[in-house]
């Protein structure tokens, strides 16, 4: 399969007279895909039941005639005003109990049945009309579930659905076993026992923190609502169309389990805004933000490519509990069914929504595009074709300026298009190391951070960065993965609840495994297991006490590096492999399993992971700051995220440069 380019286009924003020129120019640029329609509901159905699909027929026809393939979005992220008038209680409600208003987008609660029925109706109309249109070659459901903090809603609809969800979690003949829930949650503490499921409220506006088991259950429920909402659309689209279905995920949005949603979809795509993310989401310190202000973080995009490749690998229809093998073995076996990863929106210039919005360093748009391809993407679409002179995103760059003159991103896209003509096809390749990412662990840490700002995402990302600084390509795996063959090392830091099946599969694999801190520390309902964690049969390590650390009080380790944020006191008969300067054990090992009882800083993680790679026979190649490698089945890519040239063994890497070696 060839790698392809595309763009996001809004025909409804532009006069009909320029559609043909736009389409011709897109084709001329070398684009294959055009995503349209995802915010167009008010122009498709301006009044209830008054359908105006003619312009969309026309737009699809114009694009198709130019040789472009359309990705058609369902418009459910932007219900028109009349939908709200019809369903005044469809709005999501924030933690303070305030409904969120009309006037932007994503103004709906995932649990509202009336809104769901409206969505089913409009999606059915679209699917009936375009399901066998030869120019519609893919679908996108909704737009960016979770954007603008929209997964969690404390509405009446959510309350009713949550109670039903709990009844199903604690089944009994009479519609739920409330005694089992009370016991599992520990509701005896503070007399929180319930007599019936109808007494259970949503966990907001409590006097002090709610029971963590209650809070976690609500997070699991909220995630399931997203999967169900998405599935309702997918079921309709599949009835009328054979075209693959995608959703466009985001950077560091963890409020719903993307593996569960991915199980219903054919393509995992995501929206990559490296400069916006650096300011807004990476959590880098000021010096790092300055250093990479015009390039973006060297690992953040890569991490999401790898994460969403794993989401894509969850087989359609397998469901979140099913075994998901995240990456096929080798190029030869797997090309026909490699995980379908796309970048549905790629930043092409300055955006409008981050605290600061610099322009990318010349070369970065090209680098980001190649980086996506290096991580397995089959398509990269730029957001957006032309900058809009009106409304919320008038200061968001497109490939074209509002006056249709090419913006700098246009030329870089053209350069990639030329390079692609010579490039090999997609060639998947298993990485030597794997990292398990668990959305439920994100929620568990948020429910109980134990120290200000401590987040599972950051812990996992620190491990990922350390692996990449060692020159490694990394596969991210779903927590449902059970086949670990081919990997030298598997990491599952911070995964607070580890299902028995996962532990057994990791043990059976005989692979080097790194867990901790905080791995296998809770049962499924957030209770501390006894014997004390980690709940890992055969590993004689006990976390006897733990503390969190002020950011300015890291604890130095013997041999260099430090532990920051999180430090456990660990004991047991396993071999101590790392100690603090004061001699307290920090990491212990038994067989191929290493337990790390603290959050290592960069130096500590690099040293620990370097040692484990050595044991596993995985070759490492420590890289200069800002330089990263990524291997596919056919190429070795070198990326330079620095604003200056760097000498490497592969030659000189120019500033913001990409070097491709054919293998
Ligand atoms: C994405 C969104 C697009 C657009 C873009 C701007 O989050 O899907 O519709 O708003 O951001 O960067």
């Amino acid at each position: 399969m060839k790698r392809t380019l595309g763009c996001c286009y809004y025909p409804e924003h532009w006069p009909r007279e320029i559609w043909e020129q736009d389409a011709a120019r897109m084709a001329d640029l070398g684009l294959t895909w055009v995503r349209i329609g995802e915010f167009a509901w008010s122009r498709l159905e301006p009044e209830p039941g008054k359908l105006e699909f003619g312009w969309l027929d026309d737009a699809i026809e114009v694009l198709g005639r130019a040789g472009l393939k359309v990705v058609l979005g369902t418009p459910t992220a932007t219900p028109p005003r009349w939908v709200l008038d019809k369903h005044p209680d469809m709005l999501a409600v924030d933690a303070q109990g305030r409904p969120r208003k009309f006037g932007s987008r994503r103004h709906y609660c995932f649990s509202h049945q009336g809104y769901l029925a409206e969505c089913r109706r409009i999606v059915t109309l679209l699917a009936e009309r375009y399901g066998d249109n030869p120019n519609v070659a893919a679908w996108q459901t909704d737009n960016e579930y979770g954007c603008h903090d929209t997964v969690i809603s404390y509405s009446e609809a959510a309350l009713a659905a949550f109670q039903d969800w709990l009844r199903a979690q604690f089944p009994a003949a009479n519609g739920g076993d409330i005694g089992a829930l009370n016991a599992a949650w520990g509701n005896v503490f503070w007399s929180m026992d319930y007599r019936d499921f109808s007494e259970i409220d949503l966990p907001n506006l409590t006097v002090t923190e709610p029971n963590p088991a209650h809070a976690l259950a609500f997070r699991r429920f909220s995630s399931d609502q997203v999967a169900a909402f998405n599935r309702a659309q997918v079921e309709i689209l599949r009835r009328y169309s054979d075209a693959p279905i995608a959703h466009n995920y985001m950077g560091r949005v963890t409020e719903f389990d993307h593996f569960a949603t991915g199980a219903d979809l054919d393509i995992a795509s995501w929206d990559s805004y490296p400069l916006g993310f650096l300011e807004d989401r990476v959590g880098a310190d000021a010096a790092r933000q300055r250093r990479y202000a015009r390039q973006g973080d060297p690992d953040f995009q890569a991490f999401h490519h790898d994460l969403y490749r794993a989401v894509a690998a969850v087989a359609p229809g397998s469901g979140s509990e099913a075994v998901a093998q995240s990456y096929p073995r080798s190029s030869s076996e797997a090309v026909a069914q490699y995980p379908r990863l796309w970048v549905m929106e790629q930043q092409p210039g300055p955006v409008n929504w981050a605290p600061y919005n610099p322009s990318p360093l010349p070369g970065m748009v090209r680098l980001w595009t190649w980086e996506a391809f290096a991580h397995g993407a089959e398509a990269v679409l730029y957001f957006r074709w032309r900058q809009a002179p009106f409304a919320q995103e008038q200061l968001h760059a497109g490939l074209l300026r509002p006056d249709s003159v090419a913006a700098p991103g246009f030329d870089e896209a053209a350069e990639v298009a030329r390079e692609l003509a010579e490039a090999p096809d997609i060639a998947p390749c298993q990485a030597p190391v794997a990292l398990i990412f668990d959305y439920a662990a994100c929620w568990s840490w948020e429910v109980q951070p134990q120290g200000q700002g401590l987040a599972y995402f950051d812990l996992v990302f620190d491990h990922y960065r350390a692996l990449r600084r060692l020159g490694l390509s990394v596969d991210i795996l779903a927590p449902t993965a059970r086949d670990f063959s081919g990997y030298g090392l598997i990491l599952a830091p911070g995964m607070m609840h580890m299902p028995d099946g996962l532990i057994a599969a990791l043990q059976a694999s005989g692979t080097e495994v790194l867990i901790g801190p905080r791995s296998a520390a809770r049962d499924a309902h957030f209770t501390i297991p006894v014997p004390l964690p980690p709940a890992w049969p055969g590993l004689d390590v006990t976390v006897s006490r733990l503390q969190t650390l002020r950011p300015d009080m890291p604890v130095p380790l013997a041999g260099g590096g430090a532990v920051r944020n999180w430090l456990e006191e660990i004991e047991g008969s396993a071999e101590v492999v790392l100690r603090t300067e004061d001699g307290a054990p920090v990491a212990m090992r038994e067989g191929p399993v290493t337990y790390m009882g603290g959050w290592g800083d960069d130096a500590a993680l690099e040293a620990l992971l370097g040692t484990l790679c050595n044991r596993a026979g995985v070759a490492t190649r420590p890289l200069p700051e800002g330089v990263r490698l990524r291997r596919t089945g056919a190429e070795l890519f070198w990326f330079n995220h620095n604003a200056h040239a760097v000498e490497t063994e592969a030659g000189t890497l120019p500033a913001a440069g990409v070097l491709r070696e054919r293998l």
Side-chain angles (χ1 to χ4, degrees), residues 39 105 143-144 248 271 273 345 353 383 393 396:
F39 300 129
R105 62 178 170 182
N143 190 77
E144 291 192 339
N248 56 333
D271 299 344
Y273 292 93
E345 299 180 13
W353 46 262
F383 181 94
E393 294 177 355
H396 191 297

Side-chain angles (χ1 to χ4, degrees), residues 145-146 149 249-256 258 270-271 277 280-284 300-301 303-304 307-308 437 439 442 446 453-462 599:
Y145 295 135
D149 292 326
Y249 304 113
M250 300 178 71
R252 199 179 177 153
V253 164
T254 54
E255 282 77 20
F256 66 98
H258 293 47
W270 79 290
D271 299 344
F277 294 150
D280 203 40
R281 258 163 255 190
V282 174
F300 196 78
Q301 287 63 247
F303 178 88
H304 287 87
L307 173 63
Y308 293 131
F437 188 82
Y439 287 90
C442 289
E446 283 171 31
L454 299 188
Y456 169 80
F457 182 95
D458 293 328
L459 177 73
V460 171
F461 188 53
D462 280 357
W599 185 319

Side-chain angles (χ1 to χ4, degrees), residues 433-650:
V433 297
L435 179 57
I436 296 175
F437 188 82
D438 179 28
Y439 287 90
C442 289
W443 313 328
S444 298
W445 280 71
E446 283 171 31
V447 162
Q448 189 182 69
Q450 184 67 4
Q452 192 173 301
L454 299 188
Y456 169 80
F457 182 95
D458 293 328
L459 177 73
V460 171
F461 188 53
D462 280 357
H463 284 73
Y464 179 82
R465 260 214 321 255
L467 291 169
R468 299 241 309 156
R469 280 198 311 266
L470 291 169
L472 294 164
S473 296
V474 182
D475 285 345
I476 293 181
L477 301 180
T480 45
R482 296 293 180 267
D483 176 2
F484 299 105
S485 46
Y487 291 112
L489 170 64
I490 318 271
L491 280 56
M495 189 174 170
M496 285 179 66
H497 172 62
M498 297 191 75
D500 294 343
L502 173 59
I503 294 176
L506 285 167
Q507 284 175 322
S509 74
T511 308
E512 285 287 328
V513 174
L514 175 66
I515 56 169
R518 230 187 178 183
S519 301
R522 292 292 180 278
D523 73 6
H525 296 289
F526 218 91
T527 293
I528 298 174
V530 177
L532 290 177
W536 189 287
L539 175 65
D540 189 5
V541 174
T542 297
V543 177
S544 55
R545 188 155 86 149
L546 66 87
Q547 59 174 325
T548 55
L549 307 173
R550 292 175 52 96
D552 51 0
M553 291 181 73
V555 173
L557 296 173
V563 159
R564 60 200 191 94
N565 298 335
W566 188 281
L567 181 58
E568 297 169 350
E569 288 174 26
I570 53 175
E571 58 191 38
S573 65
E575 179 197 356
V576 177
V577 292
L578 192 60
R579 293 180 187 275
T580 64
E581 270 185 355
D582 295 341
V586 174
M588 296 172 85
R589 159 176 189 92
E590 188 157 352
V593 182
T594 301
Y595 185 85
M596 172 72 172
W599 185 319
D601 69 0
D602 288 352
L605 282 177
E606 229 172 284
L608 177 68
L609 291 168
T611 308
L612 293 178
C613 284
N614 261 340
R615 281 182 190 272
V618 170
T620 56
R621 166 151 55 173
L623 295 171
E625 168 72 35
V627 173
R628 295 291 184 264
L629 284 178
R630 166 80 198 167
R631 183 185 289 274
T632 74
E635 301 138 292
L636 178 65
F637 287 86
W638 292 77
F639 295 103
N640 181 14
H641 298 260
N642 292 293
H644 53 81
V646 176
E647 289 306 322
T648 69
E649 58 203 78

Side-chain angles (χ1 to χ4, degrees), residues 275-280 289 293 347 350-359:
L275 303 192
F277 294 150
L278 179 74
E279 295 283 349
D280 203 40
Q289 288 204 345
Q347 174 168 3
V351 302
N352 63 304
W353 46 262
Y356 307 100
N357 296 295
S359 21

